[in-house]
Amino acid sequence: MSASYTSISPDKLSRLVGTAAAPTLIDVRIDEDFSADPRMIPGAVRRSHLDVQDWASRLTGQSVVVVCHKGKKLSEGTAAWLRCCNVAAENLEGGQVAWKEANHPTVPAARIPKRDGRGRTVWVTRARPKIDRIACPWLIRRFVDPTAVFLFVAPSEVEAVAERFEATPFDIENVFWSHRGELCTFDVMVKEFGLSSPALERLATMVRAADTGRLDLSPEAPGLLAASLGLSRMFDDDLEQLNAGFLLYDAFYRWCRDATKELHNWPTNKGK
């Protein structure tokens, strides 16, 4: 029996998570179930099914997948309400339980920084990003918080801005989200957010090699370094550079996940 058009399987959803085509993920588990398993499908945000009519309008025009504990009444009912509000909504088959049983990654909720009044995490780092400070925002937007805000400020002001604007500092010395030993900040985020996978581990090696000048760690690192430095020369505006960099990391991630064994050879002997 084929799946309903109003539901999506964990395996199919896992292929969308981390890509620009990922749906908006809404976790409607009750507090008791969430407390028993305080981890989130990457990119998900918690909402109460009781308030669906209040927050549904914010999702107009988006593709949504609703997650509950076992993919039954809460996600089915919430998704149905959203469809009544003209939101394209599906529920996750088997819910959080099926996702975990399939060994797909989950993010510990305790690691996600406090959100602002609009439900966004806010991060701050040094201006003029090159590699780590583009790679980390890409990871956060694709796997942790699609609505995350990034503030780029003078290096000397990062900590003060973090305090005054309740932002989370990253990729500076003496903060949680930063280099640790030989690991760069991107490595740390992959680990702390529970996102380890063959694709992200390969990408992390590329980022670490390019960011720390150890290009021998990854054959692809010189290309990443060249593309990153080229982008930094193309854009004076850090946010414009960030947006352009997302496409670069989308491409490298898809290569790491789907195309590492694919080769392209010019058929020089064709027709001979």
Side-chain angles (χ1 to χ4, degrees):
M1 181 177 177
S2 61
S4 166
Y5 79 95
T6 60
S7 64
I8 186 171
S9 70
D11 287 343
K12 184 175 180 180
L13 179 59
S14 73
R15 299 292 293 176
L16 296 173
V17 167
T19 73
T24 298
L25 299 175
I26 305 295
D27 186 328
V28 295
R29 287 178 291 165
I30 60 174
D31 290 343
E32 181 181 358
D33 289 333
F34 182 77
S35 296
D37 179 21
R39 301 179 70 91
M40 312 276 284
I41 293 176
V45 62
R46 289 196 74 202
R47 292 278 187 270
S48 172
H49 70 283
L50 298 173
D51 303 326
V52 60
Q53 296 178 68
D54 296 328
W55 48 262
S57 61
R58 305 174 205 166
L59 303 175
T60 302
Q62 301 179 38
S63 295
V64 175
V65 172
V66 184
V67 182
C68 70
H69 183 52
K70 292 185 177 180
K72 295 186 177 181
K73 55 184 177 295
L74 289 186
S75 58
E76 283 275 5
T78 303
W81 262 114
L82 290 174
R83 291 193 294 272
C84 287
C85 298
N86 296 315
V87 176
E90 300 172 293
N91 72 296
L92 178 64
E93 295 173 6
Q96 183 87 359
V97 170
W99 180 269
K100 289 190 65 177
E101 288 177 347
N103 293 317
H104 297 311
T106 53
V107 176
R111 280 285 177 257
I112 302 175
K114 178 183 176 182
R115 298 176 185 269
D116 69 2
R118 298 186 181 183
R120 307 167 298 183
T121 57
V122 181
W123 304 76
V124 61
T125 190
R126 296 168 288 142
R128 305 310 301 147
K130 297 295 188 298
I131 299 168
D132 225 359
R133 282 166 288 149
I134 298 291
C136 290
W138 172 84
L139 186 77
I140 292 166
R141 284 264 184 92
R142 292 290 185 255
F143 291 92
V144 180
D145 176 16
T147 64
V149 175
F150 299 96
L151 309 178
F152 293 99
V153 302
S156 61
E157 302 303 317
V158 173
E159 292 183 83
V161 169
E163 181 179 355
R164 290 295 182 92
F165 291 87
E166 297 186 321
T168 301
F170 71 99
D171 203 46
I172 64 170
E173 294 182 355
N174 303 316
V175 299
F176 183 82
W177 300 107
S178 190
H179 287 228
R180 297 181 190 174
E182 295 186 350
L183 301 180
C184 67
T185 308
F186 188 86
D187 287 300
V188 171
M189 287 192 174
V190 169
K191 177 182 177 182
E192 293 288 349
F193 283 129
L195 295 171
S196 293
S197 68
L200 283 178
E201 291 293 344
R202 183 187 287 268
L203 183 56
T205 301
M206 293 168 57
V207 172
R208 185 187 330 126
D211 191 59
T212 61
R214 292 177 289 164
L215 300 182
D216 58 304
L217 294 178
S218 168
E220 296 76 31
L224 174 59
L225 177 61
S228 300
L229 295 180
L231 283 175
S232 74
R233 298 301 190 275
M234 292 171 62
F235 297 95
D236 293 327
D237 186 297
D238 291 342
L239 294 177
E240 288 185 4
Q241 182 187 341
L242 182 66
N243 289 334
F246 275 24
L247 182 61
L248 177 68
Y249 281 95
D250 282 341
F252 273 113
Y253 173 65
R254 288 301 299 272
W255 177 80
C256 288
R257 196 188 76 175
D258 302 327
T260 56
K261 296 181 180 180
E262 183 176 334
L263 299 175
H264 176 72
N265 294 312
W266 176 252
T268 54
N269 295 320
K270 186 176 181 180
K272 294 185 178 180

